[in-house]
């Protein structure tokens, strides 16, 4: 793999933007067509794509894809602007980005497990940040912040990531070898 | 099937405004909702009227924006239906601890081990109404943006608002890629359907349903990454990031732009002052407590 972890050059600019646009469009689509969920758990398949951008292109790209993508997705849905969820989503993409240099082969079980592991940590931390901020700003109590926001958001995003991230990684290996870089 | 967010040049007051002024105004109003947390319908209504006037001044052709509104209407029904009426989530504390009369109370339903008991109170109905007005106001402000701002000025707008070159270009590309990716997604759906993929009859558990989204998500993502390689090559060839950039279009503020920004800032400042005085939180008229439930 080329490049250092925290580099911010043309590559990061372009993939950050593409990741954000993809996350925005896919979140918008799945907002409109919600997948059947148990209780108040929602499944956003777009999260797996955003985490994949972090894993493949590093922490900056993951952060921009999550932050800008969530702002754009909410804006085109007409959902408004929720800064703490935007930053929470940014964290959710940044942490899996830290795994970028550890991934050698996107088809190997070990590498896929590392990516999924970092993805889950990102989800837990990012959603915890947003839920705690929701408590501090929105006037809800701890039980609602944890039980009503953090747990359902984390479960939904984790399931989506565990299922779709490995599929994306295997497909990406073909792109990597075709590109020859 | 999807929304194209098609920009057209129009000779309207809205499109003569500097794009920076419009983005700053939008940010101020969104901040009034999100940061100052205005939830009082008596304050929301004037903002809704103002936003609606601006929307009408933009004179966007109905056939262009129709699909975006249809998507939004479905979305608002889902969000307001599920969140506001059923759980009161996403709302202030008073909605969660609500003592208003009950309108509808279903018996406890057991669906796949989840006990669901739906209680709809007058307060929740009023909360749903308030939330709809908030969302309509934000949507009516945000939806016209892609239709009325020339895609080629996003980058320079963010640059002249003080963002660095790289960040401005990231925003520029993200805005421009949204319609392209939306179109790619729509083409992929058609292509997979032609191969016998059935989106409507997604049966089975949640795991297999999610896995079956892969034929839609994977091609769109990989195509976007390949396109990204070409964009990177093109930008590197033009020595992107080597030195500060110059931009093809220059932006100049005029008096109307300052007035427009001033209006946005004034709304934000007033919202913050009102909120710090304790005005503007969720409000419901007294009579909803005196309605007798069925």
């Amino acid at each position: 793999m080329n490049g250092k972890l925290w580099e911010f050059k043309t590559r990061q600019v372009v993939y950050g933007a593409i990741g954000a646009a993809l996350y925005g469009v896919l979140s918008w689509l799945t907002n409109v067509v919600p997948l059947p969920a148990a209780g108040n758990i929602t499944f956003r398949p777009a999260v797996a794509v955003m985490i994949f951008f972090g894993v493949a292109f590093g922490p900056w790209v993951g952060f921009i894809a999550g932050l800008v993508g969530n702002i754009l997705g909410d804006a085109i849905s007409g959902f408004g602007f929720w800064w703490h969820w935007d930053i929470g989503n940014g964290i959710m993409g940044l942490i899996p980005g830290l795994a970028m240099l550890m991934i050698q082969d996107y088809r190997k079980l070990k590498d896929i497990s590392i990516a999924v592991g970092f993805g889950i940590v990102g989800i837990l931390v990012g959603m915890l940040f947003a839920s705690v901020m929701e408590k501090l700003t929105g006037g809800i109590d701890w039980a609602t912040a944890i039980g009503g926001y953090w747990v359902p958001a984390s479960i939904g995003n984790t399931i989506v990531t565990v299922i779709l991230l490995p599929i994306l990684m295997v497909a990406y290996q073909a792109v990597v070898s075709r590109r020859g870089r | 099937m999807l929304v194209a967010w098609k920009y057209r040049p129009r000779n309207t007051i809205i499109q003569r405004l500097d794009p920076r002024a419009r983005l700053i105004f939008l940010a101020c109003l969104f901040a009034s909702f999100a940061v100052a947390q205005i939830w009082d319908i008596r304050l929301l209504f004037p903002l809704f009227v103002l936003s609606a006037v601006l929307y009408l001044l933009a004179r966007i052709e109905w056939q262009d924006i129709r699909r975006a509104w249809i998507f939004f209407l479905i979305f608002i029904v889902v969000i307001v239906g599920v969140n506001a009426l059923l759980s009161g989530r996403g709302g202030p504390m008073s909605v969660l601890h609500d003592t208003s009369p009950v309108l509808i109370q279903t018996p406890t339903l057991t669906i796949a081990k989840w006990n669901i008991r739906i209680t709809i109170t007058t307060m929740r109905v009023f909360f749903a109404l308030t939330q709809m007005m908030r969302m309509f106001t934000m949507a009516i402000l945000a939806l016209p943006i892609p239709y009325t701002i020339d895609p080629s000025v996003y980058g320079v707008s963010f640059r002249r608002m003080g963002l660095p070159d790289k960040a401005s270009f990231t925003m520029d590309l993200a805005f421009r890629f949204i319609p392209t990716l939306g179109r790619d997604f729509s083409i992929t759906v058609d292509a997979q359907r032609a191969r016998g993929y059935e989106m409507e009859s997604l049966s089975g558990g949640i795991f297999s349903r999610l896995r079956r989204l892969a034929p839609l998500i994977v091609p769109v993502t990989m195509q976007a990454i390949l396109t990204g390689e070409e964009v990177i090559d093109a930008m590197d060839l033009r020595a992107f990031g080597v030195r500060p950039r110059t931009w093809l279009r220059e932006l100049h503020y005029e008096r109307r732009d300052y007035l427009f920004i001033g209006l946005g800032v004034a709304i934000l400042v007033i919202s913050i002052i009102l909120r710090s005085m304790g005005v503007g939180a969720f409000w419901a008229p007294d009579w909803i407590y005196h309605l007798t439930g069925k």
Side-chain angles (χ1 to χ4, degrees):
Chain A
M1 295 307 292
N2 55 347
K4 294 177 211 71
L5 198 59
W6 291 98
E7 200 173 55
F8 194 70
K9 291 186 175 168
T10 316
R11 196 171 178 75
Q12 286 71 25
V13 167
V14 171
Y15 283 129
I18 290 181
L22 258 180
Y23 188 43
V25 167
L26 294 177
S27 314
W28 171 70
L29 283 167
T30 45
N31 276 341
V32 177
V33 192
L35 290 168
N40 48 10
I41 300 172
T42 51
F43 293 95
R44 298 169 67 198
V47 168
V49 175
M50 189 265 281
I51 287 178
F52 166 74
F53 266 75
V55 169
F57 306 112
W60 275 120
V61 171
F63 182 71
I64 294 168
L67 176 81
V68 179
N70 207 55
I71 295 175
L72 293 178
D74 281 355
I76 56 179
S77 314
F79 200 34
F81 174 71
W82 302 88
W83 63 272
H84 47 287
W85 289 98
D86 299 330
I87 294 173
N89 273 276
I91 297 171
M92 200 155 81
L94 185 144
I95 292 177
L98 301 174
M100 179 179 76
L101 297 182
M102 293 178 221
I103 313 272
Q104 307 295 330
D105 184 339
Y106 289 90
R107 276 173 305 191
K108 272 213 185 108
L109 185 63
K110 182 179 140 262
D111 295 34
I112 291 177
S113 312
I114 292 174
V116 171
F118 271 78
I120 293 173
V121 175
I123 290 167
L124 293 177
V125 177
M127 293 297 95
L128 184 66
F129 173 87
S131 307
V132 169
M133 285 299 150
E134 186 81 38
K135 144 111 186 77
L136 298 180
T137 60
I140 54 169
D141 55 18
W142 280 114
T144 316
I146 299 300
Y149 290 87
W150 186 57
V151 172
S154 301
I155 292 175
N157 290 345
T158 300
I159 291 174
V160 165
T161 304
V162 168
I163 296 172
L164 290 175
L165 183 60
I167 300 177
L168 285 164
M169 288 178 72
V170 171
Y172 181 60
Q173 183 62 41
V175 175
V176 173
S177 36
R178 184 169 139 190
R179 187 174 74 204
R181 287 193 195 180
Chain B
M1 75 167 259
L2 282 166
V3 181
W5 294 290
K6 189 176 189 266
Y7 166 78
R8 284 173 204 269
R10 298 176 189 83
N11 188 18
T12 58
I13 302 168
I14 295 294
Q15 280 179 234
R16 278 194 296 270
L17 286 166
D18 190 299
R20 288 170 297 178
R22 299 187 52 207
L23 291 170
I24 293 169
F25 181 84
L26 183 72
C28 285
L29 261 82
F30 271 32
S32 309
F33 288 113
V35 183
Q37 287 289 338
I38 293 291
W39 277 96
D40 190 326
I41 201 163
R42 293 165 301 179
L43 295 176
L44 290 171
F45 187 70
L47 292 178
F48 172 74
V49 172
L50 173 70
S51 312
V53 168
L54 293 173
Y55 176 84
L56 292 175
L57 285 175
R59 295 218 306 262
I60 301 167
E61 295 76 3
W62 173 242
Q63 58 185 29
D64 280 7
I65 203 166
R66 194 186 51 166
R67 279 172 188 275
W69 277 116
I70 292 172
F71 265 75
F72 172 71
L73 288 176
I74 300 171
F75 177 62
I76 204 172
V77 166
V78 171
I79 291 289
V80 173
V82 174
N83 281 350
L85 287 179
L86 303 188
S87 67
R89 271 177 66 205
M93 213 51 200
S94 53
V95 184
L96 299 172
H97 295 283
D98 135 37
T99 51
S100 65
V102 173
L103 287 176
I104 302 166
Q105 170 94 65
T106 65
T108 307
L109 306 167
T110 306
I111 302 169
K113 291 182 201 159
W114 291 79
N115 289 322
I116 298 168
R117 188 162 198 219
I118 297 167
T119 310
I120 294 177
T121 60
T122 50
M123 171 78 97
R124 284 198 174 160
V125 172
F126 199 79
F127 173 64
L129 202 72
T130 307
Q131 202 184 25
M132 269 170 128
M133 179 152 291
R134 263 175 77 100
M135 290 181 66
F136 256 108
T137 309
M138 289 192 271
I140 214 168
L141 282 165
L143 285 183
I145 295 286
Y147 295 92
T148 54
I149 291 185
D150 186 343
S152 66
V153 301
Y154 283 123
V156 64
S157 303
F158 285 107
R159 179 71 189 88
R160 299 289 172 248
M161 285 195 291
L163 282 184
D165 272 343
K166 282 177 179 167
S168 309
F169 225 84
T170 305
M171 296 302 291
D172 184 296
L173 283 173
F175 271 92
R176 283 168 182 245
F177 265 112
I178 283 185
T180 317
L181 294 174
R183 200 158 47 233
D184 282 358
F185 191 86
S186 148
I187 291 169
T188 307
V189 170
D190 290 345
Q192 298 289 25
R193 274 199 179 139
R195 291 177 176 85
Y197 176 91
E198 287 176 30
M199 203 161 53
E200 290 79 9
S201 67
L202 288 175
S203 56
I206 190 71
F207 289 89
S208 60
R209 280 186 213 196
L210 282 172
R211 211 167 33 237
R212 256 178 284 165
L213 285 175
L216 300 180
I217 290 177
V218 171
V220 175
T221 308
M222 296 307 145
Q223 183 56 47
I225 290 171
L226 290 171
T227 311
E229 291 293 341
E230 287 167 18
V231 175
I232 292 168
D233 286 344
M235 285 167 68
D236 280 341
L237 278 171
R238 289 161 180 79
F240 177 80
V242 175
R243 267 192 236 157
R245 293 178 57 82
T246 54
W247 299 80
L248 192 59
R249 289 271 294 270
E250 283 300 325
L251 298 175
H252 299 285
Y253 281 127
E254 309 218 4
R255 220 183 76 193
R256 56 173 177 249
D257 300 313
Y258 288 116
L259 289 173
F260 196 55
I261 294 173
L263 178 65
V265 173
I267 291 172
L268 177 59
V269 170
I270 292 171
S271 310
I272 292 171
I273 293 173
L274 284 176
R275 280 307 269 132
S276 64
M277 286 162 48
V279 183
F282 178 67
W283 170 86
D286 276 341
W287 51 262
I288 70 158
Y289 290 99
H290 307 305
L291 287 175
T292 42
K294 270 193 278 191

